[in-house]
DNA sequence: AACTATTTTAATCAAATGATTAAAATAATC
DNA sequence: GATTATTTTAATCATTTGATTAAAATAGTT
């Protein structure tokens, strides 16, 4: 009697491969970010993915569940990028500002719609998403926060300064169509304007830190 | 034969009175600003106004036409407030910054959702609204722009400085739910934070102007 | 190769939505 | 007061949307 040969091939499940599921997620990310939740139809996502409409419910059960997943991933991407920068104990305050600004401008140049999407959906549904961010701890216990306090001797509220960094870095992307119109800018000119801001924002922040 | 007495009473048309029409507009403004175009149903507006659903089509023909009207009014309100401030030839650059910041923070404290609404809908449909703003002329031909150029001797791009003023003033309202969460702020604390910014933003702008 | 499990498909469904309709109500005119 | 014009109403409609269904196709297992 010959012993059965036992197959050691791992069970292959499409969920682990993530081919169809991943396609849907990528398409959903694109369309949700571009149009927002309310204006996005499940059919839009299916078309973007080149897949059958019913697969969205098969894999994610509902439009809303798919959206929640995408939204949380996006928020993590947007917010937690600060973590390494703010907690790098070997960099100065000024280098942290430079890194923050460069990091976010580069990120947003490749995904210019991300902040407006996040902030719009956040306002539509604040309770649902805000508590999952985890950036409170990142920020208030960071090396960066300490550095601001030391540099300003409490003259400037550290939180206000962080707001300023975010405002100066992120707002142009949020207001992009308006600024382009006001300034008569093509897209490449807007890109140049943001490159210039990469250099200038750390200088502006530094000048704020120097106020007597 | 007695001459007919001619009635001089002006024809009263509800459109001129604007009672029902005005109610619909006010309700539409509220709901559109709160939920955006896509997430707002005509039934929401009718309920907000306490009127029958069919009146929206009777008076405004379509949801979209009603929205376009509201959007344009909102953009005018938001953008053209700059006009008087920027063209006041008897005020200094610094006073203009103070007036701009105070004016907009006061406006946005009473209508905190306005900027996010405008910028979100602007991105959804840039061609439709941007050309109607008229702020390009207001800004680039303003006394204020001249003052910046003189004060900085071209060291800072004037447009970049205006972006900074807008960013520092408007962004906290756009990001309000996020900032409240991060900073653990109640609404009255957020309001205080914005009052503090009324004072600090002109100082921050001034420090930028002084960069060598 | 046969059987079972999973994925995909196209049709269909139930509910929601912006819009229309026709009648009732109200206002205006003479 | 009778007639006409306008506004309002509630029902209805046509279309759209997220979701479901059942069968076909494909993949996995023995």
């Amino acid at each position: 009697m010959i012993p059965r040969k036992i197959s050691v091939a791992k069970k292959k499940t499409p969920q682990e491969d993530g081919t169809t599921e991943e396609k849907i997620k990528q398409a959903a990310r694109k369309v949700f970010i571009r149009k927002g939740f309310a204006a996005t139809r499940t059919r839009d996502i299916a078309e973007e993915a080149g897949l059958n409409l019913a697969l969205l419910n098969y894999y994610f059960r509902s439009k809303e569940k798919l959206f929640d997943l995408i939204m949380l991933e996006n928020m993590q991407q947007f917010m937690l990028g600060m973590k390494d920068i703010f907690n790098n104990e070997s960099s100065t305050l000024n280098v942290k500002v430079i890194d923050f600004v460069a990091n976010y401008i580069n990120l947003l140049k490749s995904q210019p719609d991300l902040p407006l999407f996040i902030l719009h959906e956040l306002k539509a549904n604040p309770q649902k998403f805000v508590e999952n961010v985890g950036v409170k701890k990142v920020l208030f216990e960071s090396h960066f926060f300490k550095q601001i306090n030391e540099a300003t001797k409490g003259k400037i509220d550290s939180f206000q300064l962080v707001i300023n960094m975010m405002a100066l870095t992120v707002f142009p992307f949020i207001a992009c169509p308006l600024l382009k119109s006001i300034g008569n800018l093509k897209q490449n000119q807007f890109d140049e304007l943001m490159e210039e801001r990469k250099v200038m924002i750390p200088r502006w922040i530094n000048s704020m830190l120097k106020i007597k």
Side-chain angles (χ1 to χ4, degrees), chain A residues 104-165:
Chain A
Y104 274 91
I105 289 183
N106 290 340
L107 170 69
L108 298 185
K109 278 178 113 176
S110 65
Q111 290 190 89
D113 296 337
L114 189 59
L116 185 57
F117 164 70
I118 288 175
L119 295 171
H120 174 72
E121 301 296 343
L122 205 45
K123 189 196 130 238
N125 224 327
Q127 313 91 307
K128 201 168 175 182
F129 298 117
V130 163
E131 296 308 330
N132 295 301
V133 183
V135 77
K136 201 184 299 182
K137 190 176 170 106
V138 166
L139 184 62
F140 281 87
E141 299 178 13
S142 67
H143 188 232
F144 184 54
F145 231 60
K146 287 185 203 127
Q147 284 173 322
I148 300 180
N149 283 329
E150 284 168 15
T152 65
K153 305 293 200 284
K155 286 279 175 61
I156 303 182
D157 184 332
S158 305
F159 187 44
Q160 291 269 33
L161 202 80
V162 171
I163 293 175
N164 291 352
M165 278 170 56

Side-chain angles (χ1 to χ4, degrees), chain A residues 15-130:
Chain A
Q15 189 161 349
E16 286 176 358
D17 272 18
T19 308
T20 300
E21 183 179 342
E22 202 53 38
K23 279 183 190 167
I24 296 172
K25 280 178 66 179
Q26 296 301 337
R29 176 172 292 119
K30 272 199 206 170
V31 184
F32 277 139
I33 291 183
R34 188 170 73 230
K35 304 174 78 170
F37 176 77
T40 294
R41 305 170 305 147
T42 50
R43 283 162 177 81
D44 296 334
I45 296 170
E47 281 167 24
E48 177 71 37
L51 297 171
N52 186 280
L53 173 62
L55 293 177
L56 272 67
N57 292 87
Y58 180 78
Y59 280 100
F60 296 97
R61 276 191 42 221
S62 71
K63 177 185 171 186
E64 187 175 352
K65 282 183 164 37
L66 176 59
F67 173 77
D68 289 350
L69 186 65
I70 300 295
M71 179 66 176
L72 282 181
E73 288 183 4
N74 280 332
M75 287 189 67
Q76 301 255 353
Q77 181 187 15
F78 188 66
M79 302 307 304
L80 290 185
M82 300 179 193
K83 192 177 173 181
D84 291 344
I85 295 170
F86 285 359
N87 279 316
N88 182 350
E89 303 228 0
S90 62
S91 63
T92 64
L93 187 156
N94 195 51
V95 170
K96 283 191 176 67
V97 175
I98 291 171
D99 287 347
F100 174 90
V101 173
N103 183 58
Y104 274 91
I105 289 183
N106 290 340
L107 170 69
L108 298 185
K109 278 178 113 176
S110 65
Q111 290 190 89
D113 296 337
L114 189 59
L116 185 57
F117 164 70
I118 288 175
L119 295 171
H120 174 72
E121 301 296 343
L122 205 45
K123 189 196 130 238
N125 224 327
Q127 313 91 307
K128 201 168 175 182
F129 298 117
V130 163

